[in-house]
Amino acid sequence: MGERSISRGRSVRWLAEARDAVVSIFFPAGCRICEQLLTRASRVPICDDCLASFVPLTEKVCEICGRPIESTTLHDTGQNRCRICREMPGGQVRTYAFDRARSFAAYDGSLVRAILLLKFERMEPLGAWFAERLAEVVNTQGLQADVVVPVPLHRDRERERGYNQADLIARPLARRLKLPHRAVLLVRTRPRPDKHILSLEERWESVRGAFATRPGSQVDNLRVLLVDDVMTTGATLDACARALRDAGAKSVIGLTVARAVRNPFPAPVSQSPSGAR
Ligand SMILES: [Zn+2]
Ligand SMILES: [Zn+2]
């Protein structure tokens, strides 16, 4: 009995190795990030080393915006909030329209390349892999939601590209969390400016009032999980959350695969015209 299961284990392993060998003979593709030859059968064309190089944002993040914060900050203030989510100059409290935002990993290194592959090459298996990571974030942090909503593209942009990259993550995520996927709930009514690089102020300006809920859609009292690929300033998630809140959403949690952590984070000009830094 014992021997049989050992030999069965061996043959299973042998089969897996044989399958990988066949894959590398017939599909001698390199990792799309580092070009190392892929030796295992997976629909995600990125090697294990590159996948393991993503830096998860798990500990010591701001309880509101999810930005990594230094342990000294925690120690000094006794608050789990980053500098930006604490009080603004003049006693103004900086608040976003979303309740919380969380991300899988830092937008840096090979994750930047991976996001580009998702965005411009419609790499659906990678979207599903990211969805698995985000489902882990949702479960470990106990995030509560009733529906999953992708940040929408303007319809001209979506027609041009043929898909919405946020949807490539949101759809498999909804399936994993067993929640309804509501891609039609939000629409982008004003396109992003054509200019490629936007200043921080332009970023906030370009999305302000650029989203709306679709007339007739049921939003009232819903807890929304709002999904996007990258969070940089938080302006997009904020503008989407504002539209959802106006339509009666009970709560909005922003969830992105990646989070820009290097650049200084601006205060929205709308809320603190003089205190922005
Ligand atoms: Zn690689
Ligand atoms: Zn914060």
Side-chain angles (χ1 to χ4, degrees):
M1 196 59 184
E3 255 175 49
R4 208 151 93 207
S5 66
I6 288 168
S7 76
R8 193 164 168 272
R10 274 197 197 124
S11 63
V12 167
R13 197 161 53 237
W14 183 85
L15 275 174
E17 282 168 10
R19 182 198 59 203
D20 288 347
V22 168
V23 167
S24 56
I25 290 165
F26 289 99
F27 306 97
C31 165
R32 292 295 304 278
I33 292 175
C34 72
E35 291 173 12
Q36 167 181 177
L37 199 66
L38 292 173
T39 53
R40 73 187 149 71
S42 165
R43 296 184 65 216
V44 179
I46 296 176
C47 74
D48 290 340
D49 291 343
C50 284
L51 292 177
S53 74
F54 303 156
V55 182
L57 298 174
T58 44
E59 296 164 71
K60 294 189 185 118
V61 295
C62 169
E63 62 181 359
I64 307 288
C65 72
R67 179 165 302 274
I69 40 179
E70 290 172 22
S71 53
T72 51
T73 313
L74 288 171
H75 193 73
D76 289 351
T77 62
Q79 281 185 313
N80 297 331
R81 295 189 181 184
C82 71
R83 186 175 54 81
I84 298 128
C85 292
R86 294 200 308 268
E87 278 184 291
M88 290 299 296
Q92 201 177 11
V93 175
R94 159 68 188 278
T95 52
Y96 293 102
F98 50 77
D99 298 81
R100 282 196 271 173
R102 291 292 181 272
S103 307
F104 157 56
Y107 188 53
D108 207 357
S110 36
L111 187 54
V112 176
R113 306 271 305 273
I115 295 281
L116 289 174
L117 290 170
L118 178 79
K119 197 164 180 168
F120 296 107
E121 299 197 25
R122 196 177 191 164
M123 207 172 266
E124 291 186 36
L126 182 58
W129 189 88
F130 283 143
E132 267 180 69
R133 304 288 82 74
L134 289 179
E136 288 162 8
V137 171
V138 168
N139 292 328
T140 56
Q141 307 219 5
L143 306 177
Q144 302 291 323
D146 303 307
V147 290
V148 177
V149 176
V151 167
L153 290 179
H154 187 265
R155 68 170 186 276
D156 292 348
R157 174 61 59 88
E158 186 160 349
R159 202 174 297 141
E160 193 185 313
R161 189 174 290 171
Y163 59 95
N164 172 6
Q165 74 275 6
D167 214 29
L168 302 184
I169 307 158
R171 191 177 297 274
L173 177 65
R175 209 178 303 131
R176 229 161 232 287
L177 298 175
K178 299 187 170 62
L179 292 174
H181 172 251
R182 293 277 157 78
V184 294
L185 205 69
L186 263 185
V187 283
R188 181 159 191 162
T189 50
R190 204 175 66 231
R192 187 184 187 280
D194 280 335
K195 203 174 142 191
H196 190 60
I197 295 172
L198 301 177
S199 73
L200 296 173
E201 284 199 2
E202 285 169 335
R203 272 175 189 273
W204 282 94
E205 191 51 47
S206 70
V207 291
R208 192 179 300 145
F211 297 90
T213 53
R214 201 178 289 264
S217 55
Q218 292 290 317
V219 186
D220 215 33
N221 239 5
L222 280 185
R223 295 171 304 173
V224 177
L225 208 51
L226 181 64
V227 177
D228 207 357
D229 50 356
V230 185
M231 173 173 165
T232 41
T233 60
T236 303
L237 292 180
D238 182 77
C240 289
R242 228 162 265 277
L244 290 164
R245 286 238 179 239
D246 288 349
K250 189 174 177 185
S251 65
V252 180
I253 295 173
L255 195 60
T256 68
V257 170
R259 166 80 58 116
V261 290
R262 276 204 191 157
N263 301 328
F265 194 62
V269 282
S270 61
Q271 283 166 34
S272 61
S274 59
R277 63 187 56 181

